[in-house]
Amino acid sequence: LTGTSMAAPHITGVVALLREQNPSLNPQTIRGLLMHAARSITGSIYDKGAGVIDALTIFEPRILISVQNNNTVGSVVSTDRAELLLIPNQNVSFNLTLDASTVQSQGLNYTFNLTLDNLVAFDTGTILNASLCTIPTAVNISASNSTTLNISCIFTNTSAVYASTYAGILHLNGTGYNSSVSISMQYA
């Protein structure tokens, strides 16, 4: 058995356990915890989402990841995923904050290698190469601290065939700790 019919009860159970442990968690934080505790699997982002939830690791002290970007009306929004409007030949960017304040192991440092999947169009399967975005190749963060990275993207092809909604995953891979952030781009 596969699909949302099997995924929904599993996620609901994990959310119930999270809320039992910490009743003050808001929906945005819960969704971020679920997404960032997922193990990546093969397949299209539209088939796999953030991946398969690892219910055991979701309860470990973790580095919290948030995204800050401007929405379509210019307001700064903080969320668990990047949503960008691509305009040809204009730079768009978002900030990615890694917060290790809940990780109390003094002297412990985390190093992440960052990789971005190619961005895939929802309706056509057209691929935008990940190289249109500038990301740091690695980042270090120590326990009880936070750091903010800027991710910028520029799309220079003005052909109408690229008009679509694209999605991809930014992977943060570290020793003993992996996470990911969803990226959605609307090309107008």
Side-chain angles (χ1 to χ4, degrees):
L1 298 173
T2 61
T4 55
S5 296
M6 289 294 94
H10 286 92
I11 297 302
T12 302
V14 172
V15 170
L17 292 170
L18 278 170
R19 292 295 307 265
E20 180 179 42
Q21 184 183 37
N22 187 348
S24 66
L25 290 175
N26 65 42
Q28 178 181 323
T29 302
I30 291 171
R31 188 170 84 170
L33 288 169
L34 291 169
M35 290 175 64
H36 304 311
R39 263 185 304 110
S40 183
I41 56 175
T42 59
S44 163
I45 186 167
Y46 300 108
D47 296 331
K48 67 178 182 173
V52 175
I53 189 70
D54 186 344
L56 293 176
T57 63
I58 202 166
F59 298 101
E60 297 173 356
R62 59 188 326 92
I63 295 172
L64 301 175
I65 300 172
S66 62
V67 176
Q68 300 82 36
N69 60 290
N70 291 331
N71 64 14
T72 55
V73 293
S75 300
V76 175
V77 178
S78 183
T79 184
D80 55 10
R81 65 192 181 283
E83 295 180 347
L84 306 170
L85 178 62
L86 283 179
I87 299 170
N89 301 310
Q90 288 189 16
N91 188 50
V92 295
S93 65
F94 62 93
N95 289 324
L96 184 70
T97 299
L98 290 81
D99 181 0
S101 62
T102 62
V103 181
Q104 299 301 320
S105 303
Q106 296 301 323
L108 187 59
N109 291 312
Y110 296 91
T111 299
F112 294 100
N113 295 314
L114 283 71
T115 57
L116 177 62
D117 291 346
N118 286 331
L119 302 160
V120 181
F122 175 72
D123 51 355
T124 64
T126 302
I127 295 175
L128 294 182
N129 193 294
S131 64
L132 72 94
C133 295
T134 304
I135 61 170
T137 56
V139 63
N140 295 309
I141 185 170
S142 58
S144 301
N145 289 310
S146 66
T147 190
T148 300
L149 311 171
N150 182 265
I151 313 293
S152 63
C153 305
I154 188 164
F155 187 62
T156 56
N157 193 321
T158 57
S159 171
V161 300
Y162 288 99
S164 187
T165 298
Y166 294 83
I169 300 285
L170 176 64
H171 299 276
L172 293 87
N173 300 309
T175 305
Y177 189 95
N178 296 311
S179 193
S180 62
V181 174
S182 295
I183 298 176
S184 173
M185 295 184 182
Q186 176 72 43
Y187 172 61

